[in-house]
């Protein structure tokens, strides 16, 4: 992960009614368990490469090119179509490795990436051998499954991330606007095996419309294995930033870098409170022993789950469950009630008994906030009450509503009221998943 300051990220245009994901996974589409031992074997190779090449895998150094060659060789043998894109930075040649899995709709691309370079101080096994190795092993699992996705799958391994996101920015900037428009989603995996790990999912707040779906897919996986997560705003510190600036929905997972684990997080996740998630961040001790195997295993499986879910499978599977989103900000002034609409169309019959309402409300005192879902006929369903003892920030949650008595088509509204003085906020985005 880059040490560089946050880079401003433009918010994409709201796509009310836009569908992002492919059909929900059937048994045939379920992602396989990714053996963590295989991922560790790739990390061993990255360590050997660094050891044999001056102790690092940094941009412009022989260890980086050897890392590219290793990953490319594995992908080529597994039937992926690879290309190496070169760029120049600081007087040295850098490389991005792009890999495409044959098949899928070329106008609807699910992309995932990880940076492959280290800092010059060390071999960079957690940062970011872990993301690179996890992504590689998922690519090999796709090959082993002979996956026939509905959407096209593309993976990227980026160069010179540690010098300021150079490789990924070069790649995105090199794409014509017509090619950028074909990328439906970009998932980023930068540090997924920190030794004192947190379980963080990239927040969709402030990101392009459609990012909430990626956040929910990743959160859903961790819920399925009973691992609690927290949302994190990675900002411009990793390779999703260039994709976000291009208006492409982004998401990802992260196990923490130089930040300190709190007591509450240690109770929730284990590990040691008061210590960094990765005390070897950007240091020579970021070696193979600097990886938490359980975190690496869970996050690699999360990559596989997200790719399988988002790309779907061709061959006449079930129709997708419709999802409608409004990503337009609506200010919530003090002691004021506001509404944000979503118009639903093309859905037959009534809404389901388990209508999912995905809400991202940014507010400085969530206890002041009352939230209702208003059906097209005006019926209000209470999602959240106010509470004077709830002093946390923000309301970022998914609520389930029995809306089976309501006609699905029509204009639904999220009604948010601020019922106490002093604090304010905004509706950042919300969505209905039928």
């Amino acid at each position: 992960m880059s040490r560089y300051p946050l880079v401003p990220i433009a918010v994409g245009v709201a796509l009310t009614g836009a569908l992002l994901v492919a059909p929900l996974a059937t048994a045939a589409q379920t992602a396989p368990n990714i053996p963590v031992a295989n991922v560790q074997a790739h990390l061993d190779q990255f360590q050997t490469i660094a050891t044999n090449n001056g102790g690092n895998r940094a941009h412009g150094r022989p260890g980086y090119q050897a890392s590219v060659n290793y990953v490319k060789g594995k992908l080529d043998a597994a039937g992926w179509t690879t290309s190496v894109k070169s760029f120049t930075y600081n007087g040295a040649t850098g490389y991005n490795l792009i890999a495409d899995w044959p098949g899928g709709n070329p106008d609807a691309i699910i992309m995932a990436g990880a940076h492959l370079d280290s800092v010059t101080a060390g071999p960079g096994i957690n940062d970011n051998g872990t993301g690179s190795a996890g992504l590689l092993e998922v690519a090999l699992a796709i090959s082993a499954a002979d996956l026939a996705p509905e959407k096209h799958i593309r993976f990227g391994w980026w160069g010179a991330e540690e010098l300021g996101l150079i490789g990924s920015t070069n790649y995105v900037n090199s794409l014509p606007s017509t090619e950028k428009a074909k990328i439906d989603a970009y998932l980023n995996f930068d540090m997924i095996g920190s030794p004192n790990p947190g379980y963080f999912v990239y927040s969709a707040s402030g990101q392009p419309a459609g990012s909430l779906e990626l956040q929910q897919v990743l959160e859903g996986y961790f819920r399925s294995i009973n691992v609690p997560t927290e949302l994190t705003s990675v900002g411009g510190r990793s390779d999703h930033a260039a994709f976000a600036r291009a208006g492409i929905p982004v998401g990802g997972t992260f196990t923490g870098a130089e930040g300190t684990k709190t007591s509450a997080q240690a109770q929730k996740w284990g590990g040691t409170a008061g210590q960094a998630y990765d005390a070897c961040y950007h240091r020579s001790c970021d070696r193979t022993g600097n990886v938490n195997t359980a975190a690496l295993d869970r996050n690699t499986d999360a990559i596989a789950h997200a790719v399988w879910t988002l790309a779907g499978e061709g061959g006449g599977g079930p129709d997708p469950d419709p999802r409608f989103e409004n990503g337009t900000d609506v200010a919530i002034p003090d002691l004021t009630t506001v509404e944000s609409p979503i118009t639903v169309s093309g859905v037959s019959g009534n809404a389901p008994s388990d209508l999912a309402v995905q809400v991202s409300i940014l507010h400085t005192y969530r206890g002041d906030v009352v939230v209702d879902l208003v059906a097209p006929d005006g019926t209000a369903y209470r999602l959240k009450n106010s509470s004077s003892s709830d002093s946390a920030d923000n309301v970022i949650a998914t609520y389930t509503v029995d809306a089976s008595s309501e006609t699905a088509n029509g204009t639904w509204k999220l009604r948010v009221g601020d019922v106490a003085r002093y604090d304010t906020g905004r509706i950042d985005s919300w969505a209905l998943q039928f």
Side-chain angles (χ1 to χ4, degrees), residues 259-277:
T260 301
K261 178 175 280 189
T262 67
S263 296
Q265 289 172 334
Q267 290 178 350
K268 179 167 53 180
W269 293 323
T272 305
Q275 292 189 8
Y277 304 108

Side-chain angles (χ1 to χ4, degrees), residues 183-249:
I183 302 175
D184 282 0
Y186 174 76
L187 297 165
N188 194 62
F189 301 98
D190 185 355
M191 301 180 67
I192 62 170
S194 303
N196 189 26
Y199 289 87
F200 299 104
V201 172
Y202 287 19
S203 172
S205 176
Q207 304 292 8
S211 298
L212 182 60
E213 185 68 37
L214 309 186
Q215 173 192 311
Q216 295 288 346
V217 166
L218 291 165
E219 288 178 311
Y221 174 74
F222 284 103
R223 278 197 305 272
S224 76
I225 61 171
N226 298 314
V227 174
T229 58
E230 291 183 8
L231 294 178
T232 184
S233 179
V234 180
R237 289 189 63 183
S238 197
D239 292 299
H240 65 292
F243 291 86
R245 287 195 297 274
I248 296 167

Side-chain angles (χ1 to χ4, degrees), residues 157-202:
W157 285 263
W158 311 116
E161 187 270 356
E162 297 290 6
L163 299 179
L165 319 179
I166 305 302
S168 56
T169 301
N170 178 276
Y171 173 77
V172 174
N173 289 349
S174 73
L175 295 176
S177 59
T178 53
E179 293 302 312
K180 293 175 188 175
K182 295 177 182 179
I183 302 175
D184 282 0
Y186 174 76
L187 297 165
N188 194 62
F189 301 98
D190 185 355
M191 301 180 67
I192 62 170
S194 303
N196 189 26
Y199 289 87
F200 299 104
V201 172
Y202 287 19

